[in-house]
Amino acid sequence: MNNFISVNTSKAWKHALEDSRKNFIEMLGDVHNHNILVVCCGIGLEAFLLSEKVGPDGSIIGIDINEEAINKAKSYKKKINKNNLKFCLQDANNLTFSDNSFDIIVCMFGLHYFPNAKYTFNYWKKFLKDNGQLAIASWLPSKGDTSVKKIHDIANEYLTQQNLSSNNKPNNNNISQNNNDLKVLKNITLKYDIPFKNLQNYWNVQKQNDLFSRLKADLGSEKFMTLTQNIEQFIYENSEYPVIEHTRIRLFSLIKEVNQN
């Protein structure tokens, strides 16, 4: 993706990711001596930060199904010699841990891999201790200039029948509904403006985004080709001026309340 991003765009994205990660860690509060599971940990950015917060008597376990990412995380762990940190190749929908194992389960920017968020939360909560937290950072549908919005409008014309959106993100507006023992503890929305040199630059980046790429599987090759042709025709006619994408990131945490019955 870096080949398509201007310096200003790259700086804005870096700030958005670093600032949202900082706010996410702060949202968890005091995690000293906690046992924390990091779902969809990737190369371990959140896991390494949290390992500093929990102290030597706490523990962090990072899991991911991407073997390359897990190997990178393990390699860096060896360099810094962290004894309270472990990385495992594991499917978040098929966890091998005992029930009530963790004080906190976190998932940062991985929720889009789980189409049914309510089902996923209900599954994960059994691995939480009583009064444990489930903390999530997720992308909200992006907003932007009229021309940016038009790209998503074109995509949505093809996706309506599939009940999808061009953001391809789960609707988690009612995140605790049907999970009676999971109650919202904190709910924060962060906003960042990401500038692009022009609409073509914006589209080049979107095409590299795994969320948008997954639309091909949802639509099928023929419809996806027609979709991209229509988008690129619009871009050809409107790509002269700079555009801004208004990126929104939602941070929220749920608490597993003790059942008094």
Side-chain angles (χ1 to χ4, degrees):
M1 186 187 293
N2 290 336
N3 294 331
F4 304 115
I5 296 182
S6 68
V7 172
N8 287 338
T9 302
S10 181
K11 286 181 178 179
W13 267 119
K14 182 179 180 181
H15 168 71
L17 293 173
E18 290 180 349
D19 185 69
S20 60
R21 188 169 286 113
K22 172 178 171 290
N23 278 277
F24 184 67
I25 300 298
E26 289 178 352
M27 180 183 71
L28 301 179
D30 183 6
V31 297
H32 190 66
N33 292 340
H34 281 38
N35 297 321
I36 300 178
L37 176 66
V38 183
V39 176
C40 301
C41 69
I43 61 173
L45 295 178
E46 293 81 41
F48 287 115
L49 289 172
L50 286 168
S51 70
E52 298 291 336
K53 300 287 187 180
V54 299
D57 294 326
S59 69
I60 305 294
I61 299 178
I63 65 164
D64 205 293
I65 59 171
N66 186 320
E67 187 172 5
E68 181 180 359
I70 286 293
N71 287 338
K72 287 181 179 179
K74 288 180 176 178
S75 178
Y76 185 68
K77 174 184 175 287
K78 287 182 180 179
K79 292 180 181 179
I80 62 174
N81 193 27
K82 275 286 182 183
N83 295 323
N84 64 349
L85 180 58
K86 180 181 179 181
F87 292 101
C88 305
L89 190 66
Q90 190 167 155
D91 185 349
N93 283 319
N94 190 23
L95 299 176
T96 60
F97 308 107
S98 300
D99 292 359
N100 307 306
S101 292
F102 300 101
D103 298 291
I104 303 175
I105 296 176
V106 305
C107 180
M108 190 165 192
F109 302 138
L111 192 59
H112 54 272
Y113 294 116
F114 308 96
N116 189 332
K118 293 174 187 175
Y119 173 86
T120 300
F121 294 165
N122 193 55
Y123 174 64
W124 287 348
K125 75 181 180 184
K126 73 175 185 175
F127 300 99
L128 283 172
K129 299 176 183 178
D130 289 339
N131 295 317
Q133 282 190 66
L134 175 59
I136 306 293
S138 66
W139 304 103
L140 289 171
S142 298
K143 297 183 178 180
D145 293 347
T146 302
S147 54
V148 170
K149 182 177 182 298
K150 180 63 176 177
I151 289 179
H152 293 282
D153 288 344
I154 293 171
N156 283 328
E157 291 176 13
Y158 290 84
L159 298 172
T160 301
Q161 292 182 351
Q162 278 83 0
N163 294 317
L164 300 169
S165 76
S166 58
N167 295 282
N168 204 24
K169 304 174 179 68
N171 180 356
N172 50 45
N173 289 330
N174 296 313
I175 48 183
S176 63
Q177 187 177 351
N178 298 329
N179 284 316
N180 294 329
D181 52 349
L182 282 177
K183 302 299 181 183
V184 177
L185 187 62
K186 295 181 181 178
N187 191 358
I188 303 165
T189 299
L190 305 175
K191 299 178 182 180
Y192 306 96
D193 288 344
I194 312 297
F196 291 86
K197 184 171 59 177
N198 53 43
L199 200 58
Q200 183 65 58
N201 183 240
Y202 172 78
W203 174 237
N204 287 341
V205 171
Q206 293 304 307
K207 287 190 292 186
Q208 303 303 309
N209 189 318
D210 68 341
L211 292 178
F212 207 97
S213 298
R214 285 168 57 199
L215 295 180
K216 184 174 182 179
D218 294 324
L219 288 173
S221 297
E222 185 175 344
K223 281 188 177 181
F224 185 77
M225 183 178 295
T226 305
L227 163 65
T228 54
Q229 287 173 345
N230 287 349
I231 289 176
E232 288 171 359
Q233 178 61 35
F234 171 75
I235 290 170
Y236 176 77
E237 298 169 355
N238 297 274
S239 191
E240 182 178 354
Y241 303 105
V243 297
I244 295 177
E245 179 184 40
H246 306 301
T247 296
R248 298 183 300 156
I249 297 172
R250 185 183 189 188
L251 313 179
F252 62 91
S253 61
L254 309 174
I255 185 169
K256 179 182 177 181
E257 293 190 327
V258 179
N259 191 339
Q260 300 295 336
N261 296 330

